Amino acid sequence: EVQLVESGGGLVQAGGSLRLSCAASGFIVDDYSMGWFRQAPGKEREGVSWIMSSDGSTHYADSVKGRFTISRDNAKNTVYLQMNSLKPEDTAVYYCAASGYRGILYPAPEVFDYWGQGTQVTVSS
């Protein structure tokens, strides 16, 4: 069964760090482009970061560049999102997702096939 399970969310003070994990089963993350999305109350789901299956290149939303880093461990079939210098505006539910497209120029949610249930990240001021 295809499954994505996020973990690592929680409450952190502004300026702190968190590392989110996305453990995949039923497929190989190296064969899929993987993305992290977030959604805050009253806002649309937005792409935060994604990594391409085609060449392993990484991409970031302007709001998180220089602060967040996406990576994958193929041996563990797991994708990570390291989040540093967290701000209150980063507060949201964070979702891991997988896409069969090997190259993605813009992280439209509709091109992602599999989704995790999300993990809450709360950053206090």
Side-chain angles (χ1 to χ4, degrees):
E1 180 181 351
V2 172
Q3 189 174 21
L4 293 171
V5 180
E6 302 99 332
S7 62
L11 176 64
V12 66
Q13 200 169 358
S17 298
L18 285 174
R19 188 195 194 198
L20 305 184
S21 298
C22 174
S25 60
F27 70 99
I28 305 300
V29 298
D30 194 40
D31 294 333
Y32 284 75
S33 295
M34 304 294 297
W36 286 96
F37 292 76
R38 67 186 181 188
Q39 188 165 25
K43 297 183 178 180
E44 293 186 344
R45 187 171 300 187
E46 64 173 347
V48 175
S49 181
W50 54 107
I51 183 168
M52 302 295 98
S53 62
S54 58
D55 58 4
S57 61
T58 57
H59 306 268
Y60 301 90
D62 288 342
S63 60
V64 307
K65 283 183 178 178
R67 300 189 298 121
F68 291 11
T69 303
I70 189 172
S71 63
R72 65 186 175 203
D73 186 333
N74 293 330
K76 296 181 178 180
N77 210 36
T78 298
V79 179
Y80 303 94
L81 185 68
Q82 179 67 45
M83 305 186 295
N84 299 325
S85 302
L86 283 163
K87 306 174 181 179
E89 64 194 73
D90 295 319
T91 295
V93 177
Y94 283 72
Y95 298 90
C96 177
S99 173
Y101 290 94
R102 295 183 61 80
I104 300 174
L105 298 180
Y106 183 81
E110 58 264 29
V111 307
F112 285 80
D113 305 297
Y114 308 123
W115 294 82
Q117 292 185 266
T119 185
Q120 176 71 48
V121 172
T122 302
V123 184
S124 62
S125 60

